[in-house]
Amino acid sequence: MSQRKAAGDAGRATIRDVAERAGVSVASVSRVLSGNYPVSEELRRRVMKVVGDLDYVTNAHARSLAGGGTPTVAILINNITGAAFAHVAKGVEGAATLRGWLSLVGTTGDDPERELALVNLMRQQGVAAVVLLGGAYDYDEYQLRMARFARSLDAAGSHLVLVGRPPLEGDVPATTVDYDNEGGAYAMASHLLSAGHRKVLVLPGHAELTTAQGRLKGARRAFEAYGVPFDPDMVRHGPYDYEHGYEAIEDSLRDGLDFTAVLAGTDVVAAGAMQALRAGGLRVPEDVSIVGYDDIPLASQLTPQLTTVHVPYEEMGRAALRAVADRREGGGTRRKGSDGDHLVLGTHVVVRNSVQPPARRS
């Protein structure tokens, strides 16, 4: 029986290895992989399990990765309509086009299982790189499986690039292009505190998402620096969408929660919160100040214009593609251990018109 090929071994698993491990003929494996012949569901499951176990990549894809054909980069994004990471995708695609590369876009739908499945699918398709956009899910099984895919991508001649999320732990061949997420939240919370706000409603995002964890950590650190107690009851977790911003404010007002400012996890969440405040008869910023995060075009289109944290999303996308191109062209820094770089870009507060000192509300 064939032994599983370790990541980085010179010998890549062959179709005969798959057939032997699955206990079927090479022809049967070929039929399952081609998808052009009717096969039983039991046979398909058995073969595909071995394909996954052996990290098997078809010869056609292996030949492509060896230098033939046009390099393709796969961009995996939570929601293709999300403005923030659409700008990252724009940066990746623009830099790829300049090099004559192709770009594919896949959506994960905020589902970690679908994200992992898409990474595996792109590996099987023989892409030059998989670029994952947005925060990661902070639980051990997800991290371990993503590290495994990073190694199998590397063994197949591809590369994993993480954008807007922390690097994977341990000896993992992946590149990370991140931004100062926690620092941006610290600066924004400090801006509210310096304006005199002490009762701040925080909408950081999903609790298990690393992006939300960093933003909440930055806010808490600012409160500590100002010597202001941080109240966990002033935190409302939820998705980065308009509906969450609206519902969080609606619920907080109904519950009689006393707050003079809202620290929203994204500009889109801030827009929903702003509308809910108006529906509740409150003015921004006269009655309640509100700030966002991302600095997407929407921030300057709201009334009042939104004070927010600027994140260089498009530059992050360009940096991600450059990292992949440098590796393929032999110009990238390849370190022993992580075998990749961790680049962190800066963030800064953009002051507009949505904050003023707190006023007493009746």
Side-chain angles (χ1 to χ4, degrees), residues 180-198:
D180 189 6
N181 180 35
E182 182 182 331
Y186 175 88
M188 183 53 77
S190 297
H191 181 71
L192 289 174
L193 290 163
S194 66
H197 293 279
R198 297 296 182 265

Side-chain angles (χ1 to χ4, degrees), residues 62-83:
R63 286 196 300 270
S64 174
L65 288 169
T70 302
T72 300
V73 58
I75 306 166
L76 302 186
I77 188 170
N78 174 36
N79 182 349
I80 200 169
T81 63

Side-chain angles (χ1 to χ4, degrees), residues 75 88-100 103 314 317-318 321:
I75 306 166
V88 181
K90 179 182 178 183
V92 174
E93 195 278 333
T97 298
L98 288 176
R99 289 172 168 79
S103 299
E314 200 164 331
R318 290 190 290 266
L321 198 284

